Amino acid sequence: MTTPDSQAQIQVYQQDPNELKAWIKAQARELGFSDCVIAKPDAQAELVRLQEYLDRGYHGDMKFLEENLEKRANPTLLIPNTKSVICVRMDYLVDLPKPRLVPYAPNSAIIARYARGRDYHKTMRGRLKMLAAKIREKVGEFESRPFADSAPVFEKSLAESAGMGWTGKHTLLIHKKSGSFFVLGELFSSLELPFDEPASKHCGSCTACIDICPTQAIVEPYMLDARRCIAYLTIEYKGIIPEELRRGIGNRVFGCDDCQLICPWNSFAQKTNIEDFHPRHGLDQVSLLDLWQWDEATFLSSTEGSPLRRTGYQSFMRNIAIGLGNAPFDPQIVQALQAQQNQYDEIVQVHIDWAIQEQLAKSR
């Protein structure tokens, strides 16, 4: 007896795998993805590197990285019947930036470029669901599940294994024709599709990203100590930032792009065609003092649907206090800092006190 499910399976297997793969990639591009590759559901090779990273303690407070290691390495343990992983990327640059060789606009609040618009996780998952729906219309029912940095998935390793790019010395993925200013997503699939081949590596002897890092977080090629990384310190970490790292943070209040801005391959970076990445609330040109005036209600309303929510209000103000401390001396900054003393929790207060001391030291 032929059931609807078996009919659907017959319909799937009547498709030529290579033609179906090419069609899926074309549909992905129509949906706004910059690239699409098909990866084998196997990331075992990444376990050794991750274990060394964990053993060194470079993950800091990100204890979730210690969990579900087997599921990370074997996607079929996470989603049974996964036969292929459809990996996609989205470019997110609105404007092509110049390398940040020296600090600039010291009174501006620098927010990482991916975080100035809408939270990409929602955009990515939504379009992956649309891609799955398109495939389902063509081949019949199949199992699928979208991910966007939302589960124990070695997304960079999977994408790299299928030619999305290579891992640079800053540990980010680099594409030869598009640089590194992009985010990744995956559609786990029960379709048996031909896998793409990995790309060759092209960092050579370049150490620009290592040399430029303001806090020397790239401790050796391809190894990042998150405990020193500005992205980790300003987003993930909720505690008191070590004093010896505060000046290096400068005016970066959420994330850091410096290792990407200096990378020669980002001379080929592509601009986004997705509206969601365009800045909201003027976050691409806001001053430190303007942000310092935000109360929690303003923070919540101005970061609705934004990645900035991840850091939380208190940590965000901690970051801005550091930026104000690092700014050139200005009596207005000292006054603004003093006016907000004892308005926040103890962690923020430590950074306010430091910022005032830094400002006063520059006034002499």
Side-chain angles (χ1 to χ4, degrees):
M1 178 179 176
T2 302
T3 66
D5 285 342
S6 63
Q7 286 179 334
Q9 289 300 315
I10 291 170
Q11 191 177 359
V12 167
Y13 288 110
Q14 283 178 340
Q15 300 290 329
D16 177 86
N18 285 296
E19 289 182 6
L20 178 58
K21 172 180 164 179
W23 181 86
I24 289 172
K25 290 187 175 187
Q27 298 306 304
R29 288 189 174 277
E30 283 189 14
L31 287 170
F33 295 115
S34 310
D35 198 6
C36 174
V37 296
I38 311 300
K40 182 180 180 181
D42 179 3
Q44 295 286 341
E46 188 70 10
L47 268 184
V48 175
R49 187 205 66 81
L50 176 62
Q51 193 58 60
E52 181 180 359
Y53 181 77
L54 296 174
D55 290 344
R56 295 189 187 188
Y58 287 167
H59 59 309
D61 287 348
M62 296 184 289
K63 301 302 181 185
F64 60 87
L65 290 176
E66 302 172 10
E67 303 167 353
N68 299 304
L69 296 186
E70 289 304 315
K71 287 184 178 179
R72 291 180 187 275
N74 184 357
T76 63
L77 295 178
L78 182 64
I79 305 296
N81 203 32
T82 296
K83 300 293 195 327
S84 61
V85 180
I86 302 170
C87 301
V88 297
R89 67 176 172 87
M90 284 181 170
D91 298 327
Y92 60 77
L93 283 182
V94 174
D95 297 304
L96 301 181
K98 296 179 180 179
R100 181 170 173 164
L101 298 174
V102 294
Y104 62 96
N107 293 311
S108 296
I110 303 301
I111 293 167
R113 284 157 179 80
Y114 84 89
R116 297 175 181 179
R118 185 172 185 245
D119 189 342
Y120 83 87
H121 299 86
K122 298 174 183 178
T123 304
M124 179 72 77
R125 281 196 297 270
R127 297 198 183 205
L128 283 169
K129 288 178 181 178
M130 292 169 65
L131 179 60
K134 282 178 170 285
I135 298 171
R136 194 165 286 113
E137 288 177 4
K138 182 173 182 66
V139 305
E141 193 57 44
F142 75 105
E143 296 175 46
S144 68
R145 184 166 171 185
F147 293 101
D149 193 28
S150 54
V153 176
F154 276 140
E155 59 178 13
K156 183 181 68 176
S157 178
L158 289 168
E160 182 175 18
S161 73
M164 188 76 80
W166 73 92
T167 297
K169 292 177 182 177
H170 48 23
T171 75
L172 300 171
L173 207 61
I174 303 174
H175 189 277
K176 196 172 183 179
K177 296 182 179 179
S178 305
S180 63
F181 284 101
F182 54 79
V183 290
L184 299 172
E186 304 78 39
L187 187 67
F188 282 30
S189 146
S190 63
L191 299 174
E192 293 185 348
L193 299 169
F195 306 131
D196 286 307
E197 296 296 321
S200 54
K201 298 179 181 293
H202 297 280
C203 282
S205 60
C206 179
T207 59
C209 59
I210 299 174
D211 299 336
I212 200 68
C213 180
T215 52
Q216 293 81 56
I218 308 171
V219 294
E220 62 186 72
Y222 314 106
M223 188 61 73
L224 177 79
D225 185 347
R227 299 169 301 179
R228 301 185 64 85
C229 177
I230 294 173
Y232 167 78
L233 291 170
T234 58
I235 301 173
E236 302 290 343
Y237 184 59
K238 307 303 180 188
I240 295 174
I241 293 176
E243 190 166 337
E244 66 270 18
L245 299 177
R246 294 176 197 166
R247 289 183 179 175
I249 290 173
N251 55 340
R252 304 164 188 84
V253 300
F254 190 94
C256 179
D257 290 327
D258 283 29
C259 63
Q260 297 191 82
L261 291 170
I262 199 68
C263 177
W265 288 107
N266 274 320
S267 63
F268 302 106
Q270 302 295 309
K271 291 171 68 172
T272 186
N273 59 3
I274 297 174
E275 186 67 27
D276 284 347
F277 286 116
H278 285 248
R280 297 178 171 187
H281 304 289
L283 290 178
D284 58 333
Q285 50 188 4
V286 66
S287 76
L288 291 163
L289 276 175
D290 284 344
L291 290 181
W292 187 244
Q293 304 306 316
W294 282 13
D295 57 20
E296 188 164 11
T298 304
F299 171 81
L300 292 174
S301 64
S302 299
T303 61
E304 185 174 357
S306 162
L308 270 65
R309 278 281 181 95
R310 183 172 182 84
T311 193
Y313 177 64
Q314 295 286 339
S315 293
F316 192 60
M317 301 310 288
R318 172 203 64 185
N319 300 343
I320 297 164
I322 291 175
L324 290 169
N326 286 323
F329 172 71
D330 185 339
Q332 283 187 300
I333 291 178
V334 177
Q335 184 179 6
L337 288 165
Q338 290 174 336
Q340 298 278 20
Q341 282 188 309
N342 304 314
Q343 299 296 312
Y344 303 101
D345 65 20
E346 182 180 353
I347 290 175
V348 181
Q349 187 59 50
V350 167
H351 298 83
I352 292 175
D353 294 341
W354 174 85
I356 292 173
Q357 291 172 7
E358 289 291 294
Q359 278 287 312
L360 294 178
K362 283 179 272 196
S363 70
R364 302 183 186 119

